[in-house]
Amino acid sequence: MSEEMELACFQIITYVGTARSCYINAIQLAKEGKFDEADAMIKQGEEAFAQGHHGHADLLTKEASGELGGAGLLLIHAEDQLMSAEGFRTIAEEFIALYKKLA
């Protein structure tokens, strides 16, 4: 795996890890009744997630064109983190909606 690909994988992991943390924080804020702050945290998470998603799409494009020689475990980990963050976003949005309804 090239150094460029390793860097791209670590960037994906960093961005989507940040997004997942934002989504978890959003749930905690909603639990406290701080809905505007929770919504802002979701938005911040979506921005970080988008950066990670774009990085992933770039790697997929390079792979499709034959530029990448064997993805490896690091890319699999990056993709796993991407999917995990996406799941947390869905859960966070559902929890926030529930807390709003209860308030």
Side-chain angles (χ1 to χ4, degrees), residues 51-70:
Q51 289 177 313
H53 189 276
H54 290 305
H56 183 252
D58 290 344
L59 286 180
L60 290 176
T61 300
K62 288 180 180 180
E63 183 178 40
S65 68
E67 292 179 48
L68 302 180

Side-chain angles (χ1 to χ4, degrees), residues 6 29 44 78 81 85 102:
E6 284 182 16
L29 288 165
Q44 184 178 343
Q81 295 301 303
L102 293 174

Side-chain angles (χ1 to χ4, degrees), residues 7-102:
L7 178 61
C9 288
F10 282 121
Q11 287 175 337
I12 293 167
I13 292 165
T14 299
Y15 286 130
V16 298
T18 297
R20 186 175 53 233
S21 294
C22 288
Y23 301 144
I24 292 168
N25 289 337
I27 293 170
Q28 295 303 316
L29 288 165
K31 185 177 180 181
E32 296 170 9
K34 300 175 181 175
F35 300 117
D36 290 339
E37 292 176 47
D39 291 339
M41 191 61 60
I42 290 289
K43 184 177 180 187
Q44 184 178 343
E46 287 175 347
E47 290 168 2
F49 184 84
Q51 289 177 313
H53 189 276
H54 290 305
H56 183 252
D58 290 344
L59 286 180
L60 290 176
T61 300
K62 288 180 180 180
E63 183 178 40
S65 68
E67 292 179 48
L68 302 180
L73 187 57
L74 188 58
L75 179 56
I76 293 168
H77 177 61
E79 290 175 333
D80 178 57
Q81 295 301 303
L82 183 80
M83 296 305 298
S84 172
E86 187 172 31
F88 269 99
R89 179 180 63 209
T90 302
I91 291 167
E93 289 170 344
E94 291 297 321
F95 268 101
I96 291 168
L98 176 63
Y99 284 127
K100 283 180 179 179
K101 189 173 187 176
L102 293 174

